[in-house]
Amino acid sequence: MKKIKERCVFAVFWAAVISALYIFIIMRPFGSMDELWIFNMGLNVSRGLAPYSEVTMITPPLSHMLSAAFIKIFGEELLSIRLLALIISSADCLLIYSVLRQAEINKSFSLIIAGACCAFFGSVFTYDYNFLILTLSLAAVLFKLKAVKSGSSGFVVASSIFSAVTLLCKQSVGAAFWICMLICDVLVFRDHKKKMLLIDLSCAFVCGALLLIYLISAGNLADFVRYCITGIGEFDNRISVFRFMLGSADGFFVCVYSASALFFAAVRTVKAVKNGAVRENAGTVILLCSSAGLLSAAYPIADLSHSAIFFAHVILLSCILLRRKIKGMDMRGKNVGIVLMGLICVCGSAAVTLDTDLVKCSIKHYSGVPISRSVRTQIETVSGYIGESGKKTAILDAYAAVYLIPLDIYNKDLDMFLKGNVGGKASEVLSEHIDGYDTVLVLRDTSRHNWQFPKGTERIVLEKGEKQEEILNYDVYTIHHEREDAL
């Protein structure tokens, strides 16, 4: 009877967590540009366009190929990407619970922490390369803990594979995480250092070789280098850690909590290394290394979304640091606490996400997504104007994709016209592209540009074109082509 009761509580809890994530993600109001950029890339890859040479990307292709596969299977709708986000966020919560259980944290406390992560991160959970790295890194940590406990070579290899695959999601964060997990293997498995190094290097080599083979066979190696390596140098947008910490209560909590946990974990690790007790403190060492490796996710933009990638690991790290005290906790009423946490997740997601002023969108590719009436009208107006004009049109605004996706129009580079995203200097890229368009829409009030927009590039449109009319917040310019001028 007791086991049946526990299983019921367990089932109710996970049903509540998945329901909360469903509300957070599927019912989220339309408007996240990060989500739309990821959707637009996956959408065009699913249609057969080649990454880099035909679709603007600044990271390795794995995450975009995964989103393209989901779009191919479930349809060319934004909801397909949200379904993928729901799956990986649910997997994240389950992995958080599994890591804690593997670290011998009691079941009830592990469930409550998994629920707390759902409630805290739910509003920022989405599908992109960063959150895919979170899933892969949690899996790598879980298998690393299993390898320490069982001594199985299979778990060692599985952990190394997941660590290496992060390299195919985002070059900077993936590299930092892989290096830190390599250091972790040297510390934890010091009796088998050569073997561990061989496994880790082999997995990374295979991932690198697969990427290189793909790029060479697709003929876009040079474009990959331009967008993902040299072009990144143009990215100069910054949100400092101090600005994040002092800008909100969430930021202050994340920064202070993380700094404290990492400091105490580092002290314990140093002592363990000196005393030859690394294996006994393997959980601390593994989570310290994984947390440190993922800190790079918050650079150069430190905000709640980017910090969630490493903060999830920091939470696990703090639980392991406090494992002895957690074991001694009085867990009477634990079932009530577990159900209450599930209820908090559901109620919190509803309070943060649901809005009675929203309607279900019926615009092509956005069907079923909650949207405000004013935003819907704006999209219909601008998209309708471009569609009726019949002219090849670009929008010089980071929000271009919002209006062009429903028209099945994709303007490489210009549909995500942000500093560091176009494979070179934005002004040079715009000058190179502008003669290919008949009409360009320019945002009238430049102060309303996305904060990453390359300011001053509007002058190129003003020099090459002539203002014809206005449509909502945009000035419409007809571009004078050099060939026409010559005639």
Side-chain angles (χ1 to χ4, degrees):
M1 187 67 183
K2 185 179 179 181
K3 285 187 177 181
I4 293 174
K5 186 178 179 181
E6 287 181 355
R7 287 174 183 173
C8 288
V9 170
F10 189 81
V12 167
F13 172 81
W14 284 112
V17 166
I18 294 172
S19 298
L21 292 172
Y22 179 90
I23 296 170
F24 271 130
I25 296 168
I26 304 297
M27 303 303 294
R28 179 178 293 152
F30 178 92
S32 168
M33 284 312 303
D34 286 338
E35 181 181 57
L36 280 174
W37 291 327
I38 293 295
F39 172 58
N40 204 20
M41 284 183 269
L43 180 63
N44 285 287
V45 171
S46 74
R47 292 170 173 173
L49 298 185
Y52 314 112
S53 58
E54 295 177 304
V55 180
T56 304
M57 293 181 186
I58 59 171
T59 59
L62 180 62
S63 64
H64 306 296
M65 288 181 169
L66 181 57
S67 62
F70 256 70
I71 290 169
K72 199 76 174 175
I73 295 169
F74 296 101
E76 295 185 343
E77 296 290 344
L78 183 58
L79 284 176
S80 296
I81 290 296
R82 292 193 172 190
L83 174 61
L84 180 54
L86 176 61
I87 291 171
I88 68 164
S89 61
S90 299
D92 290 340
C93 291
L94 184 58
L95 283 166
I96 287 168
Y97 166 77
S98 299
V99 167
L100 291 173
R101 293 294 293 136
Q102 192 62 41
E104 299 180 350
I105 305 295
N106 72 65
K107 185 175 181 179
S108 300
F109 192 83
S110 299
L111 287 171
I112 290 172
I113 292 298
C117 288
C118 167
F120 189 74
F121 299 128
S123 62
V124 296
F125 267 137
T126 187
Y127 177 75
D128 63 15
Y129 37 80
N130 283 317
F131 280 99
L132 183 57
I133 284 178
L134 174 58
T135 307
L136 293 169
S137 62
L138 287 170
V141 167
L142 176 61
F143 283 114
K144 194 82 72 184
L145 290 170
K146 285 179 176 287
V148 171
K149 194 170 184 179
S150 67
S152 169
S153 296
F155 289 137
V156 170
V157 173
S159 176
S160 295
I161 290 173
F162 279 109
S163 296
V165 171
T166 62
L167 294 165
L168 301 179
C169 297
K170 187 176 183 180
Q171 56 273 47
S172 57
V173 180
F177 178 74
W178 180 80
I179 290 170
C180 286
M181 295 310 282
L182 181 77
I183 294 170
C184 171
D185 286 340
V186 171
L187 292 174
V188 175
F189 303 98
R190 59 169 59 192
D191 294 335
H192 305 282
K193 281 191 292 187
K194 291 184 179 179
K195 179 182 177 181
M196 295 305 301
L197 286 170
L198 180 61
I199 292 172
D200 288 337
L201 291 170
S202 297
C203 290
F205 176 79
V206 170
C207 288
L210 289 173
L211 176 61
L212 187 61
I213 291 169
Y214 163 73
L215 293 172
I216 293 174
S217 63
N220 52 15
L221 177 59
D223 291 303
F224 172 81
V225 172
R226 182 161 68 93
Y227 282 99
C228 297
I229 300 175
T230 58
I232 295 296
E234 297 299 319
F235 193 91
D236 61 359
N237 304 300
R238 299 284 186 274
I239 297 179
S240 70
V241 173
F242 289 107
R243 179 179 166 188
F244 173 52
M245 181 174 70
L246 300 176
S248 67
D250 288 342
F252 185 82
F253 172 72
V254 168
C255 292
V256 172
Y257 188 103
S258 298
S260 302
L262 291 170
F263 173 76
F264 288 115
V267 170
R268 181 177 291 186
T269 298
V270 170
K271 288 182 179 179
V273 171
K274 285 183 178 180
N275 299 329
V278 175
R279 199 65 179 254
E280 292 78 2
N281 292 276
T284 300
V285 177
I286 292 169
L287 266 303
L288 174 62
C289 290
S290 67
S291 300
L294 294 173
L295 282 172
S296 57
Y299 178 83
I301 299 177
D303 58 17
L304 188 59
S305 178
H306 288 82
S307 65
I309 313 305
F310 74 83
F311 191 56
H313 285 254
V314 170
I315 291 172
L316 295 173
L317 174 61
S318 62
C319 290
I320 289 175
L321 288 171
L322 299 171
R323 180 168 50 189
R324 291 180 182 176
K325 290 188 176 181
I326 293 171
K327 277 187 177 181
M329 288 176 63
D330 184 358
M331 296 303 291
R332 282 181 296 181
K334 60 184 180 181
N335 289 338
V336 174
I338 293 168
V339 172
L340 181 61
M341 177 53 71
L343 186 62
I344 289 172
C345 290
V346 174
C347 293
S349 65
V352 169
T353 308
L354 300 182
D355 188 340
T356 55
D357 292 332
L358 300 177
V359 295
K360 279 194 174 183
C361 189
S362 57
I363 297 172
K364 186 178 181 181
H365 301 309
Y366 305 149
S367 298
V369 176
I371 190 171
S372 70
R373 290 177 174 82
S374 60
V375 172
R376 182 183 62 181
T377 300
Q378 187 174 338
I379 295 172
E380 290 172 340
T381 302
V382 176
S383 295
Y385 172 83
I386 295 171
E388 291 171 6
S389 73
K391 297 178 180 179
K392 190 171 182 182
T393 303
I395 304 175
L396 198 64
D397 184 14
Y399 297 91
V402 173
Y403 310 107
L404 298 178
I405 288 174
L407 296 171
D408 291 318
I409 295 173
Y410 178 66
N411 298 320
K412 184 173 180 288
D413 296 335
L414 299 188
D415 284 358
M416 194 169 68
F417 195 59
L418 302 174
K419 291 182 285 185
N421 284 359
V422 292
K425 291 184 177 180
S427 57
E428 294 176 0
V429 171
L430 180 58
S431 296
E432 179 185 339
H433 281 68
I434 195 168
D435 282 327
Y437 295 94
D438 301 314
T439 305
V440 177
L441 275 62
V442 178
L443 195 62
R444 190 175 309 112
D445 182 0
T446 57
S447 66
R448 298 182 65 177
H449 270 308
N450 182 284
W451 69 284
Q452 300 177 73
F453 184 84
K455 295 179 180 178
T457 51
E458 302 97 326
R459 62 177 175 75
I460 297 170
V461 179
L462 273 60
E463 291 170 359
K464 296 282 292 185
E466 180 181 351
K467 181 177 176 181
Q468 295 296 317
E469 55 186 319
E470 299 178 356
I471 179 74
L472 294 183
N473 301 319
Y474 295 98
D475 291 331
V476 181
Y477 283 80
T478 297
I479 303 302
H480 299 302
H481 300 296
E482 292 181 3
R483 186 181 61 185
E484 293 173 353
D485 293 342
L487 294 174

